[in-house]
Amino acid sequence: MQIDINDVTMIYPSGKKALSNVSFSVESPDFVGILGPNGAGKSTLMKLMTAGLIETKGNILVDGEKLLDNEQEFKRRLGYLPQTFGLLEELTVWQFLDYMAALKNIKGKSEIEWALEKTGLADKRKARISSLSGGQKQRVGIAQAILGQPEIMILDEPTVGLDPEERVRFRNIFSELSSDKIVFLSTHIVDDVQAVCNRVLVIYGGKILYDGSPAELIEQTTDHVGTYVRRIDDVIPKECEIVSKVNTRNGVLTRIVGDNLPDYVERCEATLEDAYLYCINFGEKRGEL
């Protein structure tokens, strides 16, 4: 499968421009992480890619054909987990997945059993969804997205509400499934992208600031990350952004990114989180991304 996003712009009826001239292509297999702050356009992009919205300008092609001309066929090949989703809470977990299987024209019960096992819900098959915890409901959402092992999976904040152990488990599942598929993972959790994605898109202000490997993004941040011990009355260096602060007995160990770090800052190796923050804060100014 190949998906081409060609010069896509999305303007809502209110006049808000959510995306501006976005273009990229992806071909199976590929695991793409989408990073960006709230309001950057990530969810809008995913809704466009699932035909939940119609672009104002540009087009989206699937295997060379317009998505909107072959919407039903595309959705048969799609597994989608939106950021907010509704569950039929009066149904049991099994009944809900059986219903979703029918909508996807998935025959037999083996795929439902597979999805239950993958998401750790086998012992909850007879439980009503209304009785589940928030994390368990999130797992039901993931189960319906991977049901039938679709050719493309679009996952918008899939690990929200999951504890750290579950997050690791599910990102490993997504990584395993991406071996012969296209997977898009939109998340605020940079660690998830660094752990499993071979490609990252950074979206900010409705535009793509970066499209490439995580390693290349980190490489571009070399010499722009550092730490220093900050006293209570110290002023944050100009033209820098704080990544983290840790209290120590000597003061607050502060990690920052910036174009020009002060001399007293000790340079250190960048992480993907550093690189992401540097990209969205300084990428446009540098004109390189």
Side-chain angles (χ1 to χ4, degrees):
M1 175 182 285
Q2 180 170 330
I3 298 176
D4 298 296
I5 311 294
N6 298 317
D7 201 27
V8 166
T9 294
M10 181 64 201
I11 303 174
Y12 286 103
S14 64
K16 177 185 176 182
K17 181 180 282 189
L19 293 174
S20 179
N21 305 111
V22 169
S23 296
F24 64 90
S25 296
V26 58
E27 186 174 356
S28 178
D30 210 354
F31 197 154
V32 184
I34 303 178
L35 292 174
N38 288 332
K42 303 188 305 298
S43 292
T44 296
L45 176 61
M46 292 195 156
K47 289 176 182 176
L48 288 168
M49 291 171 59
T50 58
L53 291 173
I54 299 175
E55 59 272 12
T56 306
K57 173 190 170 187
N59 59 64
I60 300 175
L61 305 180
V62 179
D63 292 335
E65 302 290 335
K66 286 187 177 181
L67 170 60
L68 295 177
D69 291 343
N70 297 276
E71 181 179 343
Q72 292 303 314
E73 172 61 18
F74 175 72
K75 288 184 175 179
R76 185 187 65 80
R77 306 163 71 185
L78 169 70
Y80 177 43
L81 179 66
Q83 186 173 5
T84 56
F85 57 91
L87 297 171
L88 302 175
E89 301 218 350
E90 71 277 10
L91 300 181
T92 67
V93 173
W94 175 275
Q95 288 171 335
F96 175 72
L97 292 179
D98 190 39
Y99 171 69
M100 294 303 296
L103 291 180
K104 294 183 177 186
N105 198 30
I106 297 171
K107 307 296 184 181
K109 307 304 180 184
S110 60
E111 289 292 339
I112 299 175
E113 290 289 351
W114 175 85
L116 287 170
E117 290 293 336
K118 280 290 184 184
T119 54
L121 289 168
D123 62 338
K124 296 293 183 180
R125 70 181 67 230
K126 295 182 180 180
R128 292 194 182 278
I129 293 175
S130 59
S131 70
L132 302 180
S133 67
Q136 289 169 338
K137 289 179 180 179
Q138 187 71 13
R139 282 193 269 162
V140 174
I142 294 172
Q144 66 79 29
I146 67 175
L147 193 62
Q149 304 183 56
E151 294 178 57
I152 175 172
M153 294 192 297
I154 298 178
L155 310 168
D156 197 352
E157 300 287 355
T159 57
V160 169
L162 301 180
D163 62 38
E165 184 178 351
E166 287 182 312
R167 272 183 40 227
V168 171
R169 174 185 177 183
F170 278 102
R171 71 191 188 193
N172 288 338
I173 290 172
F174 300 147
S175 180
E176 175 190 335
L177 294 175
S178 70
S179 63
D180 60 349
K181 299 174 177 59
I182 294 173
V183 180
F184 285 96
L185 171 65
S186 174
T187 180
H188 288 89
I189 304 171
V190 180
D191 284 348
D192 285 353
V193 173
Q194 186 162 15
V196 295
C197 297
N198 61 279
R199 179 177 173 186
V200 59
L201 299 177
V202 178
I203 297 181
Y204 184 76
K207 299 179 180 179
I208 294 180
L209 296 187
Y210 176 82
D211 178 5
S213 74
E216 289 170 347
L217 182 58
I218 291 171
E219 179 65 26
Q220 292 182 11
T221 317
T222 300
D223 296 328
H224 295 288
V225 184
T227 61
Y228 72 104
V229 176
R230 180 185 171 201
R231 307 296 179 177
I232 293 176
D233 57 348
D234 282 349
V235 177
I236 300 170
K238 292 182 179 179
E239 300 300 322
C240 292
E241 292 291 329
I242 292 178
V243 178
S244 65
K245 295 185 290 184
V246 178
N247 287 310
T248 71
R249 65 180 181 177
N250 296 321
V252 180
L253 182 63
T254 305
R255 188 180 185 94
I256 60 174
V257 297
D259 260 338
N260 298 296
L261 299 180
D263 293 338
Y264 58 82
V265 171
E266 181 178 352
R267 268 65 171 176
C268 57
E269 186 175 346
T271 67
L272 185 60
E273 182 177 19
D274 298 327
Y276 161 65
L277 290 174
Y278 182 66
C279 180
I280 64 173
N281 284 288
F282 302 99
E284 287 184 308
K285 296 177 187 177
R286 294 162 61 213
E288 295 178 5
L289 304 179

